[in-house]
Amino acid sequence: MKRITIIVATYNAEKTIARCLDSIVKQKGDIVELVVVDGASKDRTIEILEHYKDSIDVIISEPDKGLYDAWNKGVKSSTGEWIMFVGADDMLTDDAIESYHVYLNSINTEGIDLITAKSDVVDEKGNLLYKLGRPYVWNEFRKVFKLSHGSSLHNRLLFEQVGLFDISYKICADYELLLRKKLNTLFLDKKVFIMQDGGMSTTLKALDEAYRAKMQHNAQSFIGANYLRIRGRIGMRLRTLFPILKKLK
């Protein structure tokens, strides 16, 4: 059993996967298991993965039903005590693995479900958009997902307790999974992750899925008029911004 498993899901990720894997393999060491789950990419992704085969412990390439289906396959194929999910267009900071290794050795992790940290969210050119990541507080978490999921370590026992990701969700299955129980968490007050922003086109869908997850788990504090007001405001802003963005292109 490795200390940490990093799961990377890919599909037609030839433009970013090498950058992602470079950020991992250069600091991988003996404590990390690297699992890559590809959804039968049609571009050069598989060819690129071949260049990293000596550093990748498990490679799966077959059709899947989306990101969370890929993550579930990764969890089933993993052996690590702690599991981390990294997007094909995301990166670890240069000292991320060492930071977590030192932190894990300095604390008592018995009974801990999740360890969160900080991340930077950047655009396609690497420009900082905003920072993400704060300690988990159950009552706040039930209202809005403010954790940095990409920089989080999940105790593999958590999946045995609450199950795998619900693949009927396309954006917020990670949020739904973490709503299934009141978690015992720790917080590493350090940036360990760089996430590329997915853009505004999925904002409303993400909000709708988050609302569905809250309904499913009776997170009543966010349900009703508050949700409709926020959704309406976002919709108005998107309708205003999209014509401007199209002209800029």
Side-chain angles (χ1 to χ4, degrees), residues 230-246:
I230 293 174
R231 192 187 192 285
R233 287 177 179 174
I234 292 175
M236 290 177 63
R237 289 176 183 175
L238 290 179
R239 286 191 292 273
T240 301
L241 286 173
F242 280 160
I244 298 174
L245 293 174
K246 287 181 180 179

Side-chain angles (χ1 to χ4, degrees), residues 110-168:
E110 184 176 356
I112 298 300
D113 301 306
L114 189 75
I115 302 175
T116 66
K118 294 181 176 180
S119 64
D120 283 351
V121 181
V122 302
D123 62 18
E124 292 182 354
K125 296 181 180 180
N127 299 312
L128 178 65
L129 297 175
Y130 57 92
K131 296 181 180 293
L132 188 64
R134 57 186 298 173
Y136 170 93
V137 178
W138 172 238
N139 288 334
E140 291 182 0
F141 185 73
R142 297 178 73 204
K143 297 177 184 178
V144 61
F145 193 164
K146 292 185 178 180
L147 304 182
S148 170
H149 187 254
S151 62
S152 298
L153 298 183
H154 306 68
N155 192 323
R156 73 176 303 104
L157 296 177
L158 175 64
F159 296 99
E160 297 178 11
Q161 295 170 8
V162 305
L164 297 173
F165 296 100
D166 181 347
I167 64 173
S168 69

Side-chain angles (χ1 to χ4, degrees), residues 76-127:
K76 293 175 183 177
S77 302
S78 69
T79 66
E81 178 185 359
W82 297 91
I83 300 175
M84 186 179 203
F85 301 94
V86 176
D89 53 358
D90 301 328
M91 297 177 290
L92 299 185
T93 61
D94 290 341
D95 61 347
I97 300 301
E98 178 64 17
S99 297
Y100 258 134
H101 185 47
V102 171
Y103 185 68
L104 288 170
N105 287 337
S106 69
I107 56 174
N108 179 10
T109 60
E110 184 176 356
I112 298 300
D113 301 306
L114 189 75
I115 302 175
T116 66
K118 294 181 176 180
S119 64
D120 283 351
V121 181
V122 302
D123 62 18
E124 292 182 354
K125 296 181 180 180
N127 299 312

